[in-house]
Amino acid sequence: MRNSAFECYETICHNLYKTLSKNKKTVIQYLIEYETLKMAEDEFSRSINLLLNINSQKKYLYKRFSGKLSAFLPLNQPLYSLLLQVVIPSLVLEKVYYRPPAAQSNLHSLLYNVISPTCDNIYICNVSRNKFLCDYVRQSNIINFTGKYENAIELTKVIPNNIAIIYNGSAINPIVVSTNTSTKLNKIVDDVVLTRMYNSGQDCMAPACVFVEKNIVPDFIEILKKKITNLPVGENAKKETVVGPMIEKSSLIEYKSFREKCFDHILIDGHIDEKKQLIHPAVFYFDKVNLEIQNIYYAPYLILMAFDTLKDIQSYLHTPYCEKHAGYISIYGKDIYHENWCSGKNKLIPLYEKTLLHTEDGNNEFGGYGLGCSFVSNQGEIKSHPILLSREIHNIMSKKEK
């Protein structure tokens, strides 16, 4: 363990930066078992940037608390998640325990061996969920949970009120494209494809739906077809691959179910290779806003809807499902900048002429105002808002000390 005198967070992050840089080739090889080489390179770069810019969080990292945190990690972006949700808390807490997804226990053991010499107050727990709950979670002051909203709510019911829960979930993150945009349509389609197909379509930053003003739909679709059909699909290790095998078989099952349900709306059909667990990119097109098609999905397909008026989109976004998963909204179009997208309890966070992929960096708050997107549960009270883990830990532990 570290000395009782708090070792400066800058030193720890700098040492970890050097460790990861030295072992980059090895770490990338670990990651491509679960994601494409392009994705692994991107994830590694994001991880390094997080460490190098850690001073953005300095106001919450100056004090160390004698507390413990237990973290449940997601399947996607294993290295970045490890740094963001385990290493950052370890800078200010006495001990951090984390449980990797069972399917990635071997991967996380390898990653742990890389970071553990630098972060010696972190403990990997490759145990069952029940054992983790009994032996580690109930001894902690804070739980950092990433996963399904329903599981997070169940957790709040079985954990004593004196244990705080920080929840990271999923959002719909729609993209709206109107006629009066200052960005060229070709660039917008690039942004849409890059964000929706990021990590082979298996990331919470991806838009659940893209709304395009009806009079520009034909041009949008023409460009989209060329880009989608030319995306390289195949083995993770190949440098050109954009869409690789799905991490979970459930992605194939859910895609097949959606495809069957919306067969008449297929614009680009996505071939399925079950043996290789591959889904080729697909597009489903609706010629008007369809309130019944609402779901967050983790597969390489895109839901495109044409709209006549902004009220059509607002009707979609004000449904109970969308309000529960209210996160970000990317707006391409000067004429809709003034629209009130960001008011009310379940407000959306507007991004102008860009997507969430160009915004999230780990050193700023991330999430949304919908309960299914992110929340903090403390002393029986649940508040939904974007999460900056260092800030939430600082606030929770400061209150506990009073």
Side-chain angles (χ1 to χ4, degrees), residues 171-175 204-209 325-330 348 356 367 373:
I172 56 169
N173 301 327
I175 296 175
C204 63
M205 288 191 288
C209 190
H325 295 281
Y328 298 81
I329 180 167
S330 296
L348 290 159
L356 189 51
C373 190

Side-chain angles (χ1 to χ4, degrees), residues 364-377:
N364 290 290
E365 65 178 20
F366 179 75
Y369 290 93
L371 273 175
C373 190
S374 51
F375 67 71
V376 176
S377 174

